[in-house]
């Protein structure tokens, strides 16, 4: 510093003392400056006051010499003390040089700067509030200072400033929020602690409504919640807890929509505390905001669904996520569906879709939302509508929701409980909003069929419920059923019956299809036939699915849908199946289900007595497909009490290729005859006169069997038949009694027998082609 320079009104002694390296001498100089400024205040000499402050600032506080800077700082503090209540007029000039020294490399000088600012603020009190942002910015830097003395001094200044803000009603919150939003993303633990402490103070001031600006800082708070320091995490938990209490007290003033995206992001983080806290907030938001959250459903589901598969280590998160999922599902009502009359294209184009826009989250580039969330979903799905819909009518748009559900169901790595939840959502949407959902059925259908191969029975059950709802919902009925390509898969729709209530006639014309819509009597629509075709195709391509799950799937479908329609349609499809081996296997599976499953009790009773035209048509339809398997054809004739035709079929068995598999099926049929299902058949053996062909058919089976346990079983049964001599009378064969079940005037048994021979010839030809042998006798079993 130039000693010859004029620093008036500062005397040379003051200047010399300010530049001294000893603190005591600088303090003496500060007392002299205080006296000098007091005189100027008494004289109201503002020019000289400004000159003194400017000199101390430019020539000392901002000097290159460290001792001069220290002298300038203590001198500025002395000026403030001397000015008293008038210091507010000169605060800008007093504060700026001091804040500059906060960045000094010398820790002692930073401490003196903190001490000087403390004295300035203490004198000015509320007058410093217009300069709060620069003070806060400076303090936030000192909070992270490595020197403990500096940090201690900043804490004293921080407490003083908090007291001033708390007792004042002139705090500019609007101007402060941008700075708070910027500083909240600091990664330094002390700076974070400083930020959290200030948010707690502002939240406690009655006149300051920080809740209005919560969307600006919520993301940063969740970032701080992931800090490594336990104390900071605890402080942040307290802040978030206070905010949540306030939200519950005043839900009408909360900007739920603006914070939904932030919660969705943090519900997907890997930090357990952040995820649990965000999920708890999401639960409260859904319950408090209600339908306001519907436009964000796809994002919420993206975050919530994976949590449902958590194990006991994350039990708390799983439980809260389950509540979120259930609460969100309840928000979807039938009113969200389209009206019966579809809207015109022009009307649909004018409706805004909140899922078409993405919310641009601020702060993501510098410590913002965690980018480690599941990118397999978030990267490809637009789930964050940004518009606030608090006051506007909420419209449910399913595009994003269905896409999220589809993605989760397609991912085989997703846990069982998540897959079940996805299927429950799909079922719920088909029940509540069927017309909207059927726009997405074509995209969902393949993955729903694939899910039938899931390892979990519970998942398969839920999947079948969804598929059954798709196949029976009146909303799925179209004028053009959309027949699949290829003549072999064409289905005669007019022959399939629509299940009706007990008050409705059993005869249904094609024009009534899909019109009944009682939940207890599912109706058939265009997707029913598509479902049956695709299900059989899947059984054909995945034989293990047929073996392991086939009976289970078909039995459940018979409970969920109309059993007659299922068997009728499958039989019709199998009649045109080109893979004869699969057709035979499938017919055997269907026949076993028909004869043994309790779910098919009503259908069996319907087939036992072929009195109605519908039951006769069903028998003929089943018979034509059952011909792919000779033994199952005979069992169908036994079930329907067509004993004479059963006898005629068995007579044809002599022309067939008797293989081990064939004899095994005959063995199983004998076992079935001894089961309760065929009790009526065994009782009819007592009436030899009216059932001669039944006895002949059973003897025919006996003659086919080798000397095995099944042979002994059937032989013992036939030995119990009374008066077997009656079987040898020619007259009894010619005069068939009226009570005999084997003749139905509406059924052309000769044509059926001819069809049986045709189908068996096709099977024989295919077997010869596979074996490469022309003489099928070589492959017969030698008994």
């Amino acid at each position: 510093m130039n000693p010859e320079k004029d620093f008036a009104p500062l005397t040379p002694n003051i200047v010399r003392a300010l530049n001294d390296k000893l603190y005591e001498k600088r303090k003496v100089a500060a007392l002299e400056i205080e006296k000098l400024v007091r005189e100027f205040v008494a004289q109201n000499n503002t020019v000289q006051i400004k000159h003194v402050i400017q000199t101390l600032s430019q020539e000392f506080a901002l000097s290159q010499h460290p001792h001069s800077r220290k002298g300038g700082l203590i001198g500025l503090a002395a000026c403030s003390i001397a000015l008293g209540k008038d210091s507010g007029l000169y605060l800008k000039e007093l504060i700026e040089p001091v804040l500059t020294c906060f960045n000094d490399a010398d820790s002692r000088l930073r401490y003196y700067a903190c001490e000087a600012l403390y004295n300035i603020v203490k004198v000015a009190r509320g007058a410093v509030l217009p300069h709060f942002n620069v003070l806060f910015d400076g303090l936030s830097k000192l909070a992270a200072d490595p020197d403990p003395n500096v940090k201690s001094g900043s804490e004293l200044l921080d407490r003083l400033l908090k007291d001033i803000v708390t007792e004042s009603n002139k705090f500019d919150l609007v101007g402060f929020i941008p700075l708070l939003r910027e500083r909240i993303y600091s990664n330094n633990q002390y700076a974070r602690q400083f930020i959290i402490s200030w948010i707690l103070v502002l939240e406690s001031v009655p006149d300051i409504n920080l809740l209005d600006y919560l969307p600006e800082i919520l993301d940063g708070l969740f970032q701080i919640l992931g800090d490594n320091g336990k104390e900071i995490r605890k402080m942040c938990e307290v802040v978030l807890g206070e905010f949540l209490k306030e939200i519950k007290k005043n839900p009408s003033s909360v900007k739920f929509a603006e914070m939904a995206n932030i919660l969705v992001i943090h519900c997907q983080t890997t930090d357990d505390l952040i995820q649990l806290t965000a999920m708890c907030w999401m639960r409260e938001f859904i319950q408090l905001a209600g339908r306001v959250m519907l436009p964000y459903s796809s994002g919420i589901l993206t975050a919530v669904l994976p949590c449902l598969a958590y194990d006991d280590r994350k039990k708390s998160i799983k439980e809260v996520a389950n509540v979120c999922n259930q609460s969100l599902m309840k928000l979807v009502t039938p009113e969200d569906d389209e009206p019966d009359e579809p809207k015109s294209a022009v009307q649909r184009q004018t409706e805004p879709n909140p899922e078409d826009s993405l919310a641009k989250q601020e702060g993501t580039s510098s410590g913002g939302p965690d980018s480690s969330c599941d990118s397999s979903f978030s990267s490809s799905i637009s789930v964050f509508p940004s518009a606030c819909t608090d006051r506007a009518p909420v419209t449910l748009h399913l595009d994003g929701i269905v896409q999220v559900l589809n993605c989760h169901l397609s991912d085989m790595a997703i846990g069982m409980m998540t897959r079940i939840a996805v299927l429950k959502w799909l079922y719920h949407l088909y029940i509540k909003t069927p017309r909207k959902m059927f726009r997405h059925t074509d995209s969902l259908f393949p993955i729903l069929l694939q899910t039938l191969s899931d390892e979990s029975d519970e998942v398969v059950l839920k999947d079948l419920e969804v598929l059954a709802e798709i196949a029976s919902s009146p909303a799925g009925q179209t004028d053009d059923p959309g027949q699949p390509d290829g003549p072999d898969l064409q289905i005669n729709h007019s022959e399939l019956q629509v299940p009706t209530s007990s008050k409705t006639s059993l005869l249904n014309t094609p024009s009534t299809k899909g019109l009944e819509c009682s939940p207890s009597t599912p109706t058939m629509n265009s997707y029913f036939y598509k479902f049956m075709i695709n299900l059989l195709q899947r059984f054909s391509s995945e034989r293990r699915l047929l073996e392991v799950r086939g009976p289970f799937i078909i039995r459940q479908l018979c409970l969920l849908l109309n059993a007659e329609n299922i068997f009728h349609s499958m039989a019709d499809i199998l009649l045109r199946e080109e893979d004869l081996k699969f057709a035979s296997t499938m017919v055997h599976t269907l026949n076993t289900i028909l004869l043994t499953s309790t779910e098919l009790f009503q259908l069996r009773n319907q087939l036992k007595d072929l009195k109605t035209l519908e039951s006769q048509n069903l028998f003929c339809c089943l018979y034509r497909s059952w011909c792919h398997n000779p033994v199952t054809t005979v069992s169908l004739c036994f079930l329907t009490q067509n004993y004479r035709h059963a006898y005629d079929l068995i007579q044809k068995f002599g022309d067939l290729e008797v293989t081990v598999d064939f004899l095994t099926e005959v063995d199983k049929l004998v076992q079935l005859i001894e089961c309760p299902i065929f009790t009526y058949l065994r009782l009819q053996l007592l009436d030899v006169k009216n059932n001669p062909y039944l006895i002949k058919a059973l003897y025919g089976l006996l003659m086919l069997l080798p000397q095995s346990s099944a042979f002994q079983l059937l032989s013992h049964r036939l030995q119990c038949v009374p008066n077997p001599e009656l079987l040898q009378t020619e007259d009894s064969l010619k005069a068939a009694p009226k009570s005999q079940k084997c003749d139905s005037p509406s059924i052309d048994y000769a044509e059926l027998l001819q069809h049986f021979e045709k189908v068996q010839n096709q099977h024989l030809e295919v077997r010869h082609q596979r074996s490469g042998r022309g003489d099928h006798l070589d492959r017969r079993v030698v008994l």
Side-chain angles (χ1 to χ4, degrees), residues 555 558-559 563-564 567 592-609 618 639 676-680:
R555 285 168 47 209
C558 289
L559 289 174
E564 179 182 350
F567 272 76
T592 303
I593 295 170
L594 177 63
L595 294 179
T596 61
S597 299
T598 56
E599 295 86 354
L600 277 298
F601 176 79
Q602 186 176 352
L603 186 60
R604 284 196 297 271
N605 283 344
Q606 182 180 344
L607 286 169
K608 278 182 187 177
D609 204 356
L618 177 61
L639 176 65
I677 293 171
F678 281 112
T679 300
Y680 67 93

Side-chain angles (χ1 to χ4, degrees), residues 527-699:
Y527 282 95
F528 173 79
Y529 311 105
K530 181 180 179 181
F531 177 28
M532 293 296 107
I533 293 169
N534 281 275
L535 180 59
L536 288 176
Q537 286 177 342
R538 188 155 189 85
F539 283 153
S540 178
S541 61
E542 195 175 341
R543 296 298 172 87
R544 177 164 176 78
L545 176 64
L546 175 59
E547 294 172 6
V548 177
R549 284 277 173 74
F552 172 74
I553 290 172
I554 295 171
R555 285 168 47 209
Q556 292 302 319
L557 285 176
C558 289
L559 289 174
L560 296 167
L561 297 170
N562 181 271
E564 179 182 350
N565 283 353
I566 290 172
F567 272 76
H568 200 311
S569 59
M570 284 190 170
D572 206 359
I573 297 167
L574 289 171
L575 186 60
R576 295 154 179 83
E577 175 60 49
E578 295 180 354
D579 186 348
L580 299 183
K581 185 177 181 181
F582 166 70
S584 177
T585 304
M586 193 68 221
V587 164
H588 176 74
T589 302
L590 290 172
N591 186 69
T592 303
I593 295 170
L594 177 63
L595 294 179
T596 61
S597 299
T598 56
E599 295 86 354
L600 277 298
F601 176 79
Q602 186 176 352
L603 186 60
R604 284 196 297 271
N605 283 344
Q606 182 180 344
L607 286 169
K608 278 182 187 177
D609 204 356
L610 301 178
K611 289 183 178 179
T612 65
L613 181 61
E614 288 77 12
S615 62
Q616 293 169 10
N617 286 338
L618 177 61
F619 166 72
C620 291
C621 178
L622 295 180
Y623 180 94
R624 293 179 186 279
S625 290
W626 263 230
C627 286
H628 284 295
N629 190 307
V631 180
T632 60
T633 313
V634 171
S635 66
L636 179 64
C637 291
F638 281 163
L639 176 65
T640 56
Q641 304 184 64
N642 282 294
Y643 301 136
R644 180 168 184 172
H645 191 68
Y647 171 71
D648 292 338
L649 285 173
I650 294 172
Q651 289 293 98
K652 296 291 181 181
F653 284 4
D655 300 328
L656 301 181
E657 184 180 24
V658 181
T659 64
V660 174
D661 291 339
F662 176 86
L663 291 176
T664 302
E665 291 192 20
V666 175
D667 189 296
K668 291 179 179 178
L669 177 57
V670 172
Q671 303 293 336
L672 273 175
I673 291 173
E674 295 298 320
C675 291
I677 293 171
F678 281 112
T679 300
Y680 67 93
L681 180 147
R682 298 195 300 274
L683 289 174
Q684 286 173 353
L685 292 175
L686 298 174
D687 189 1
V688 177
K689 182 178 179 180
N690 289 328
N691 297 288
Y693 287 103
L694 169 60
I695 300 173
K696 279 197 169 189
L698 293 177
Y699 269 109

Side-chain angles (χ1 to χ4, degrees), residues 132-140 176 179 183 194-195 198:
F132 178 81
N133 280 11
V134 292
L135 295 173
F136 182 88
D137 185 51
L139 274 176
S140 66
F176 171 62
L179 179 61
R183 287 283 180 256
F194 172 77
I195 294 291
W198 266 102

